[in-house]
Amino acid sequence: IIDNVGSVQNKGIELEIGGDPLIGKVRWNTGLNISRNRNKVLDLGTVDRIGYRTTKGGYSVNDPFMFLIKGESFGQIYGYGYEGTWKEGEAKEAALYGQLPGDRKFTDLNKDGVINRSDLKVIGQAFPDFIFGWNNRLSYKNFELNLLIQGTKGNDIFNMGRIRMENPGEGTSTALLNRWTPANQNTDVPAFIDARTRELANLKSQILIGGDQRISRWVEDGSYLRLKNINLSYNLPKSITDRMHINTVRAFVSATNLITITKYSGYDPEVSSYNANDAQIGVDFSNYPQSKIFNAGLNITF
């Protein structure tokens, strides 16, 4: 029987400031808002945690990587700390984990010489530190310019698209061109090491997570700044419209999603999970990006 047994606490603050910095021939009306929210899971009924894993269209993380945990917040991403690749100068230390130079290097959280589920930790937070929007309207004579800038700061995105694209066996990403080689050791892209090479090394792997993809390598900063909307319009002078027996004539050009500034490597930093589950916010399945849209028009009012 499905029942509503959970309880979540939300606390936040929203600030807004606006005004008219310029009044005269050139008029400028502006408004800025910033909001911040923090939440905590207070109750999950008879359990202390609920884990979420996901599979879609060839993308898969078969073990839970996002959890609802009593006493903690929504949006925490769990996995293994990824420290790049082992260098040749670290061959002895790598061998303790059954690894070779060029293999993936993980954080041994409890320093027991084994990488297993005891080394899971928080590797990202999908909810931003704050979100913001800045709206501006500038006018001069019969011209008017409207701008909306928006963005987020401090949120992480689990980029599942990279898991498939950077798979050494079948991936097609150009990132694989930067894979580890003896001449290119300062990289986080593992080397292509075949089974025969591992057999000859006679090492027993202490990396007990297999093909587990819950690693911080796929977690990226999702902060962004976006020019969401821009609109330039011109109103025909009233002296002309009166002679034409027309109330108003307004010509305009506009653009949506014109410019985005972000460090995120995916198609679009403005992502959410495919199943609209808030517990899995910030998961990118290579969602189709928001399009740039350009419009031009003429409004005539009789």
Side-chain angles (χ1 to χ4, degrees):
I1 299 174
I2 296 176
D3 197 5
N4 187 6
V5 298
S7 176
V8 179
Q9 177 189 77
N10 281 279
K11 292 183 178 181
I13 184 171
E14 183 170 349
L15 303 175
E16 184 172 355
I17 185 171
D20 297 289
L22 295 177
I23 299 176
K25 287 186 177 181
V26 177
R27 297 182 61 88
W28 176 23
N29 174 264
T30 185
L32 174 68
N33 65 79
I34 299 176
S35 63
R36 173 185 175 94
N37 182 67
R38 288 294 173 267
N39 56 56
K40 181 190 292 186
V41 177
L42 301 179
D43 182 40
L44 290 172
T46 59
V47 297
D48 290 328
R49 69 169 55 196
I50 300 174
Y52 295 88
R53 66 182 182 87
T54 189
T55 300
K56 181 189 178 187
Y59 301 88
S60 63
V61 175
N62 294 320
D63 294 290
F65 65 98
M66 300 194 80
F67 293 88
L68 294 182
I69 301 177
K70 187 176 179 179
E72 298 188 15
S73 69
F74 273 75
Q76 291 191 143
I77 305 170
Y78 281 80
Y80 300 95
Y82 186 71
E83 299 182 8
T85 54
W86 293 102
K87 297 177 174 59
E88 287 185 332
E90 300 173 310
K92 289 185 179 180
E93 185 181 356
L96 297 176
Y97 292 90
Q99 299 290 87
L100 294 168
D103 271 325
R104 299 182 299 173
K105 183 179 181 181
F106 296 100
T107 302
D108 188 355
L109 202 61
N110 55 10
K111 307 296 182 183
D112 63 353
V114 178
I115 304 298
N116 56 22
R117 296 194 176 192
S118 299
D119 297 301
L120 284 170
K121 64 175 185 175
V122 176
I123 58 175
Q125 170 56 257
F127 280 94
D129 294 334
F130 60 88
I131 62 176
F132 61 91
W134 184 26
N135 191 56
N136 294 275
R137 184 175 73 248
L138 295 111
S139 58
Y140 174 71
K141 294 185 177 180
N142 288 31
F143 288 94
E144 184 173 286
L145 178 66
N146 288 275
L147 298 166
L148 173 60
I149 297 171
Q150 51 135 234
T152 67
K153 176 63 178 175
N155 59 298
D156 295 309
I157 297 175
F158 192 88
N159 190 349
M160 292 193 67
R162 288 181 59 198
I163 297 176
R164 190 172 187 181
M165 296 294 290
E166 297 184 25
N167 185 325
E170 61 182 21
T172 57
S173 171
T174 56
L176 296 174
L177 298 175
N178 190 39
R179 66 185 180 275
W180 189 98
T181 66
N184 181 41
Q185 298 189 35
N186 189 26
T187 176
D188 67 347
V189 184
F192 295 172
I193 302 176
D194 59 27
R196 179 58 176 166
T197 300
R198 296 191 185 280
E199 183 182 337
L200 292 173
N202 195 29
L203 295 172
K204 183 179 179 181
S205 177
Q206 299 301 311
I207 311 296
L208 305 182
I209 62 175
D212 199 325
Q213 296 291 356
R214 297 177 295 175
I215 61 178
S216 60
R217 180 183 174 192
W218 313 128
V219 177
E220 301 182 37
D221 182 3
S223 305
Y224 72 92
L225 177 70
R226 171 169 280 170
L227 178 55
K228 188 68 177 178
N229 292 303
I230 181 170
N231 182 294
L232 177 64
S233 62
Y234 175 76
N235 291 291
L236 206 62
K238 187 169 178 58
S239 59
I240 297 176
T241 57
D242 285 347
R243 290 199 301 267
M244 300 169 62
H245 304 288
I246 296 174
N247 288 335
T248 60
V249 176
R250 177 177 174 268
F252 70 90
V253 291
S254 67
T256 303
N257 300 318
L258 186 60
I259 300 172
T260 302
I261 300 173
T262 183
K263 294 181 179 179
Y264 182 59
S265 69
Y267 291 135
D268 189 348
E270 205 172 344
V271 301
S272 61
S273 181
Y274 75 101
N275 57 6
N277 184 341
D278 286 342
Q280 289 182 281
I281 188 172
V283 182
D284 186 1
F285 293 91
S286 297
N287 292 353
Y288 196 84
Q290 298 186 66
S291 301
K292 290 182 180 180
I293 301 172
F294 300 91
N295 289 308
L298 185 67
N299 293 331
I300 301 175
T301 304
F302 294 94

